[in-house]
Amino acid sequence: MKNGDQTRFLFGISLHRPKWQQFLICSFGFFFGYLVNGVCEEYVYNRLQFSYGWYFTFVQGFVYLILIRLQGFTMKQMVNPWNSYVKLSSVLMGSHGLTKGSLAYLNYPAQIMFKSTKVLPVMIMGAFVPGLRRKYSLHEYISALLLVVGLILFTLADSQTSPNFSIIGVIMISGALIMDAFLGNFQEAIFTLNPETTQMEMLFCSTIVGIPFLLVPMVLTGELFKAWSSCSQHPYVYGVLVFEAMATFIGQVSVLSLIAIFGAATTAMITTARKAVTLLLSYIIFTKPLTERHGLGLLLISIGIILRMLPDTKPSPRVQVSNVNVKKSKAFSKELDSVVDEQDEEKKPLI
C-alpha cells in the first residue's frame, strides 16, 4: 500500500489485500456509481430539460452529509485542519465554474479533446505539490499519451463536426484542467502526509465547506430561484436527485480510495477512461456499429492502461511517511500555502 501499514476500508470492505484486488474493488465502485449517475443525468437534463447543475450539486451535497453521518463519521474524527479543505473546495468550485463557462465558447468535440487530456496536467503538477514532488518514468508518460489519443479517437469517432476553438474558451478550459490537476495532487498529498485521513473525512469536509460556495453562482445567475420553482412543480425530481446522489456517493468514496492507494495520476486515467467505457456500453446495449476508429481508440486505451499498470523499474521518488501526528498537519497546511500563493521557494517535505 502507498501509505505504509494504514488499512483502508470501502463501505466495510477491507482494502488490506493485493493491489489488483484493491484496484478492481475501487474501480468497480467508481464505475457503478457514475454509470448510475449518467443514467440519472440523462433523465433529468435531457428528458425533463432541467439544466440546473449548481442547484443539483447543492442538493447532492446535503445527501452526502446525511450518508456520511450514517457511515458513523463525526467531526471528532478529523485529523486535518479546516483551512486545507477550504483550499480544496475553492479550487473545486473554480474548476466547475470555468468548465461550465467554457461550454459557451467550445463545441462538443473541442470539450472532449481537452477533457481527455486531464491525466497529463495531473502528472506534471505532481512534481510541484509539496509533500509529493512526484516524478514519473518515461513509460508512464507514454501510457498517459496513449490513453489520451485513444480516448479522443474513440469518443469522436462518430462526430459529424470538427473541434471549434475559441481563445476565451481555451483559456477557461485550460484553467479548469490546471485546477483539476492541483485538486487531485492536493488530495493525494493530504492522504500521504497524514495516513490517518479517511475518505469520509475528505468528502465530509470538502462538502460542508463547498456548499456555501455554491450559493454565490446560484444567486448571481438566478438559478436558485428558477430551480426551486421548477422542482416545486415536479417534486419527484428530488427523488431522482437523491437516488443519483447515493450512487455518486459510492463513486466519490471509491475515487478517494483510488487516490489514497494508487495516487492522483492513476486515478485520473481511470476517471478519464470512464467516458469510453460508458460509450462502449451504449454501443453494446443499443447494438450500434463500431467503426475502425472505435477499434483503434479502444486498442490505444487498453495498451495505455496496461502499460500504466506495469511495475516501475525504479522506485518513484516520493516522501515516505510512516507516523505523522495531528500537530504536523498544521505545518503541512502552511507548506501547501506556498502553492496557492505561487511561491517558488523550495521547501522540505514533512517526514
Side-chain angles (χ1 to χ4, degrees):
M1 282 192 188
K2 248 178 48 161
N3 291 336
D5 295 326
Q6 175 70 14
T7 301
R8 297 195 176 275
F9 292 86
L10 182 61
F11 302 111
I13 301 174
S14 173
L15 296 178
H16 186 65
R17 55 183 71 224
K19 273 199 169 185
W20 68 270
Q21 293 184 19
Q22 296 173 340
F23 182 81
L24 288 179
I25 292 171
C26 296
S27 297
F28 176 80
F30 164 70
F31 279 105
F32 170 79
Y34 279 94
L35 283 175
V36 175
N37 170 263
V39 173
C40 293
E41 283 190 348
E42 173 74 18
Y43 177 76
V44 173
Y45 284 93
N46 296 332
R47 296 287 183 88
L48 301 181
Q49 298 297 310
F50 284 4
S51 56
Y52 306 120
W54 294 112
Y55 182 76
F56 292 163
T57 304
F58 184 72
V59 174
Q60 186 180 66
F62 285 100
V63 177
Y64 279 7
L65 294 178
I66 294 172
L67 293 174
I68 292 170
R69 185 66 187 90
L70 292 175
Q71 290 290 316
F73 178 82
T74 63
M75 286 192 290
K76 293 180 180 179
Q77 299 172 13
M78 286 180 57
V79 295
N80 293 297
W82 278 104
N83 61 344
S84 297
Y85 297 110
V86 171
K87 297 169 194 172
L88 272 178
S89 297
S90 59
V91 171
L92 179 60
M93 295 311 303
S95 173
H96 281 337
L98 288 173
T99 300
K100 287 173 68 70
S102 69
L103 301 181
Y105 301 95
L106 300 173
N107 63 359
Y108 178 75
Q111 295 168 33
I112 289 297
M113 288 187 66
F114 275 98
K115 290 179 181 179
S116 299
T117 64
K118 178 180 176 181
V119 65
L120 295 176
V122 168
M123 295 176 72
I124 295 171
M125 183 69 75
F128 302 98
V129 174
L132 289 181
R133 308 296 186 192
R134 182 187 271 277
K135 295 181 180 179
Y136 295 92
S137 62
L138 179 61
H139 94 267
E140 289 176 310
Y141 278 108
I142 293 175
S143 70
L145 189 60
L146 288 173
L147 175 71
V148 168
V149 175
L151 189 59
I152 292 174
L153 282 175
F154 185 84
T155 53
L156 298 183
D158 289 338
S159 178
Q160 302 298 319
T161 57
S162 299
N164 180 28
F165 300 101
S166 162
I167 296 298
I168 297 177
V170 170
I171 292 174
M172 295 179 76
I173 197 69
S174 298
L177 285 173
I178 292 172
M179 287 187 173
D180 279 342
F182 177 76
L183 180 69
N185 283 292
F186 196 3
Q187 290 173 323
E188 182 183 355
I190 292 175
F191 282 126
T192 301
L193 294 171
N194 199 340
E196 295 179 359
T197 305
T198 64
Q199 302 95 307
M200 290 301 164
E201 175 185 333
M202 182 77 72
L203 188 56
F204 171 81
C205 295
S206 300
T207 301
I208 204 167
V209 173
I211 285 177
F213 280 101
L214 290 169
L215 290 172
V216 177
M218 283 196 298
V219 173
L220 291 178
T221 61
E223 181 176 314
L224 177 62
F225 310 104
K226 294 177 184 176
W228 177 265
S229 176
S230 298
C231 292
S232 297
Q233 297 174 15
H234 306 278
Y236 60 88
V237 172
Y238 285 109
V240 178
L241 293 180
V242 170
F243 181 72
E244 177 187 359
M246 292 172 68
T248 311
F249 176 75
I250 296 174
Q252 282 283 339
V253 178
S254 299
V255 166
L256 291 174
S257 300
L258 285 167
I259 292 175
I261 298 172
F262 295 98
T266 301
T267 304
M269 292 187 72
I270 297 169
T271 56
T272 302
R274 176 177 65 93
K275 181 68 175 179
V277 174
T278 304
L279 285 175
L280 180 61
L281 287 176
S282 70
Y283 276 88
I284 294 174
I285 293 173
F286 298 106
T287 62
K288 298 178 183 178
L290 291 172
T291 66
E292 292 181 358
R293 290 180 65 182
H294 285 111
L296 179 59
L298 284 175
L299 178 62
L300 292 177
I301 291 171
S302 301
I303 294 175
I305 293 176
I306 292 173
L307 191 59
R308 182 66 179 86
M309 291 294 103
L310 292 178
D312 294 331
T313 55
K314 296 181 181 180
S316 179
R318 57 178 296 122
V319 179
Q320 297 298 328
V321 181
S322 57
N323 292 306
V324 182
N325 56 30
V326 178
K327 292 182 180 179
K328 286 189 178 180
S329 65
K330 295 180 180 179
F332 157 59
S333 177
K334 292 180 181 179
E335 188 175 357
L336 285 169
D337 281 333
S338 64
V339 179
V340 180
D341 297 333
E342 298 182 354
Q343 297 177 352
D344 295 325
E345 182 181 1
E346 187 71 13
K347 293 190 176 185
K348 294 182 180 180
L350 293 178
I351 297 178

